[in-house]
Amino acid sequence: MQPFEFVVVGRPISHQSNNKALLRQWQETVRTAAVTAWPEEQPPTTQPCLLVVVYFFGRLPAYLDNDNLLKPIQDALNGLVYEDDRQVTDTAIRRTSIEVQFRFRSGRHSALLMQTIRSETEFVYVRVEDAPSHEELL
């Protein structure tokens, strides 16, 4: 699978949110952003995946645990990017301020990520790619 990426503008909602309607709305927003970026008529992958999620926050971050940040996004991609979220064998999750001075190495970061960071708007960056070989130990 070619690496697949998209962004969701706005503040993420925790999987543990008491406001289930707001959580469903967040998952729908994530799904809509993914559908817009996913190649038309491409079936979901059946291979093990690495899911990368980075929350770029403004002055006041949404305080949520990494696992509660990940779960709604992971669920929203079911049946679209991968057949089932059990295929997500590896994850990388980070929360970082959008106000940091970032350095981009030539050819190492996506144009989408660089462009969205420059907008200085709070957002979540999502990338899905083939999982690394599990024959090598960490």
Side-chain angles (χ1 to χ4, degrees), residues 11-31 64 67-76:
R11 183 170 288 234
I13 304 300
S14 171
H15 180 67
Q16 295 294 320
S17 173
N18 291 328
N19 187 335
K20 297 306 176 192
L22 189 60
L23 176 58
R24 277 191 302 280
Q25 181 182 17
W26 168 245
Q27 286 181 295
E28 289 171 15
T29 300
V30 170
R31 177 94 179 180
L64 52 136
D67 57 331
N68 291 326
L69 169 63
L70 177 67
K71 186 65 175 152
I73 295 167
Q74 188 170 307
D75 288 349

Side-chain angles (χ1 to χ4, degrees), residues 1 4-6 30 34 48-54 66-67 69-78 81-82 85 87-94 124-132:
M1 169 171 103
F4 167 68
E5 65 180 355
F6 63 97
V30 170
C49 300
L50 161 65
L51 176 59
V52 176
V53 175
V54 184
N66 280 358
D67 57 331
L69 169 63
L70 177 67
K71 186 65 175 152
I73 295 167
Q74 188 170 307
D75 288 349
L77 302 181
N78 267 331
V81 178
Y82 36 76
D85 61 0
Q87 293 168 243
V88 178
T89 59
D90 297 81
T91 58
I93 308 162
R94 175 175 283 182
V124 176
Y125 171 77
V126 179
R127 187 177 71 238
V128 182
E129 59 190 62
D130 288 335

Side-chain angles (χ1 to χ4, degrees), residues 97-138:
S97 173
I98 193 75
E99 297 177 1
V100 170
Q101 289 276 343
F102 294 99
R103 291 181 310 223
F104 295 101
R105 295 183 190 150
S106 179
R108 298 238 5 226
H109 294 285
S110 77
L112 173 64
L113 180 58
M114 291 189 309
Q115 176 184 354
T116 310
I117 286 173
R118 288 185 180 124
S119 74
E120 298 183 10
T121 302
E122 188 171 41
F123 71 98
V124 176
Y125 171 77
V126 179
R127 187 177 71 238
V128 182
E129 59 190 62
D130 288 335
S133 171
H134 285 210
E135 294 168 356
E136 295 180 32
L137 294 176
L138 297 175

